[in-house]
Amino acid sequence: MAVERDVFGISGPTYLKPIDWNCEHNRRSVAASLVQAVYVLERDRQLSRLSVEALAPAWWEFFHFELIRKLIDDADMSIFGAIFEFNPPSSEEASVANAPRFVIAFRGTITEKDTISRDISLDLHLVQNGLHRTSRFNIAMQAVQNVASVFPGSTIWLAGHSLGAGMAILTGRNMVKKGVFLESFLFNPPFVAAPIERIRDERVKHGFRIARSVITAGLTIAMKAKTEGNSQRSVGEESFSILSSWTPYLFVNPGDHICSEYIGYFQHRKNMEDLGAGFIEKLATQNSIGDLFFKALGWESEPLHLLPSADLIVNVSPSSDFKYAHGISQWWQPELNLQSSKYRYS
């Protein structure tokens, strides 16, 4: 028997008809649904749900998308992503001016026997700032590059959840360095740092953040002094100003410790500027203690969570538990209580 979460008619946003491509809620819901489609594609594969028994197609066909390509991991042969092309009926063509032509979506970790080993391994690579060294990233990056080069000027969205959001961040960042800016929907993206946002006492929380910024800035200055004269510059120095023009949408839930630190990351940057300590925070926001540690060991490191700019959307609606707070389904629910903030690095 199919799990309800996989059945679009039960769990999907069936109320979205027709789609208003100028509506942020509609756009977010479609992006999240296409990420869910990738999850269901992989579960269809694992459970041998074929042909009419397959549940995944409803997640894209409802919105008039076609599945162009499945992205297959070369290590476990699982489906970790998909490329969808929008193909609206002629009767709706006049109302789809802001719709994407392509959406490239990435799922997160699936804790089933066919995928758990590979996915957990990739989670560890992400924590160690080494996702860019994996074959899954190479496959994803090649797919994104191919679509962007074959269809130049087309509107392309990136979308991902959890580990998949990390993959979307990494591919999006690399495309920015090539001069291509892709609209990106990042659901519950992992923030690899101590979850200070979980501290309830605001004074203690603020104190921890200031201490971390001062330590990170100090270590950054020390590392610069040690490598002075070396032509190799840090990722932050080389790309932070370039990346600042890319403003992905970050969708986070304060009840999800995997992503909630983004709330404090951006707010603290503003607080430090207000305190007149903007110079310290400029150094700290481009680096992390973990990143500096890996670099000191001579390891190549690219921390995904250090983003210069973003539109941060926080779901402050009540969450029943961590599973829901970290889940993808929350993002297409009607009547969400969302708080949005725009952060721009300068």
Side-chain angles (χ1 to χ4, degrees), residues 7 16 51 56 115 118 160 188 196 208 221 277 285 288 313 319 330:
V7 181
L16 289 179
S51 187
T115 47
R118 175 61 167 166
N188 302 82
I196 297 176
F208 267 114
I221 292 171
T285 201
S288 70
I313 299 93
S319 297
Q330 65 184 297

Side-chain angles (χ1 to χ4, degrees), residues 253 255 315-327 329-330:
N253 188 311
N315 181 11
V316 295
S317 305
S319 297
S320 56
D321 52 27
F322 167 76
K323 185 176 181 180
Y324 180 82
H326 186 64
S329 65
Q330 65 184 297

Side-chain angles (χ1 to χ4, degrees), residues 158-171:
L158 294 178
H161 173 247
S162 193
L163 172 62
M167 193 68 68
I169 290 174
L170 190 54
T171 54

